[in-house]
Amino acid sequence: MLTKFEDSLTKIENKFISYLEAIEESLQKKELTEEFFLIDLKEFDNEVIKFLALFHPQGEYLRDVVAYLKISSFLYKIMKSTKSFIKKYDFQNDKIDALYQNALSTINTLKLAAKGDTIEDAYSTIISYEKIADKIYKEIILEVKEKDNIDEILNLINIAKKLERISDSSKTIAMYLLFAKEAII
């Protein structure tokens, strides 16, 4: 039977995973789902702070809680980028599609690692996805130099940046999860 301490920490972990699932679902469907709108990062932060205040965790538990506090702001960036992508992507571009697939793969890998407690194995994969996103983003920047329509250029760069940010923020979240588990940065 779980103690109140373990139960509270498990609730925080499960909420984090459910948020990743909601973000992934919205990104997959390219629409903002009901679950996406139910994500409440302020409540998440408050639960983490309440856990700190009530249980005074030490050692690995303190690392877990600090990691979740840090993760919250990066989840917000992923949410914001996902929402922006869904609202603004209304054209066809192969490189944007590649970035989109990369962002989906990154989120999926992060979610599976968090669910399965396998962040050590997934971390290098997430870093690879983030490097691929950076490369594609740079290619898009070079590609837009040849375009004349400023609205098209700005829209392309904006969407590319949002998708690149999803991979970048996922890498940072993975780093904090690895820190929580292994005390490695």
Side-chain angles (χ1 to χ4, degrees), residues 124-141:
S124 61
T125 303
I126 292 169
I127 286 176
S128 296
Y129 284 135
E130 195 269 336
K131 287 179 181 178
I132 291 167
D134 286 345
K135 181 180 177 228
I136 297 169
Y137 180 75
K138 288 175 186 172
E139 290 172 6
I140 290 171
I141 295 299

Side-chain angles (χ1 to χ4, degrees), residues 88-93 96-97 152 155-157 159:
K88 294 180 180 176
Y89 187 52
D90 59 357
F91 58 91
Q92 190 64 30
N93 182 289
I96 293 291
D97 290 340
E152 182 183 351
N155 196 26
L156 195 59
I157 290 173
I159 289 171

Side-chain angles (χ1 to χ4, degrees), residues 99-145:
L99 260 180
Y100 166 72
Q101 289 301 322
N102 187 55
L104 262 177
S105 296
T106 306
I107 291 287
N108 182 265
T109 303
L110 181 61
K111 177 195 73 174
L112 292 174
K115 269 183 157 178
D117 197 27
T118 58
I119 194 63
E120 310 92 337
D121 299 329
Y123 187 67
S124 61
T125 303
I126 292 169
I127 286 176
S128 296
Y129 284 135
E130 195 269 336
K131 287 179 181 178
I132 291 167
D134 286 345
K135 181 180 177 228
I136 297 169
Y137 180 75
K138 288 175 186 172
E139 290 172 6
I140 290 171
I141 295 299
L142 293 174
E143 181 182 293
V144 298
K145 289 181 178 180

Side-chain angles (χ1 to χ4, degrees), residues 55-79:
F55 299 111
H56 310 286
Q58 297 178 359
E60 71 179 84
Y61 298 113
L62 181 59
R63 287 195 316 263
D64 286 347
V65 175
V66 169
Y68 284 118
L69 272 177
K70 299 293 282 181
I71 284 169
S72 183
S73 64
F74 290 96
L75 270 178
Y76 176 74
K77 288 178 183 182
I78 292 172
M79 283 181 61

Side-chain angles (χ1 to χ4, degrees), residues 150-168:
I150 191 72
D151 289 335
E152 182 183 351
I153 291 170
L154 292 175
N155 196 26
L156 195 59
I157 290 173
N158 188 349
I159 289 171
K161 187 62 187 166
K162 299 301 182 195
L163 291 170
E164 189 273 336
R165 186 171 290 142
I166 290 171
S167 296
D168 191 47

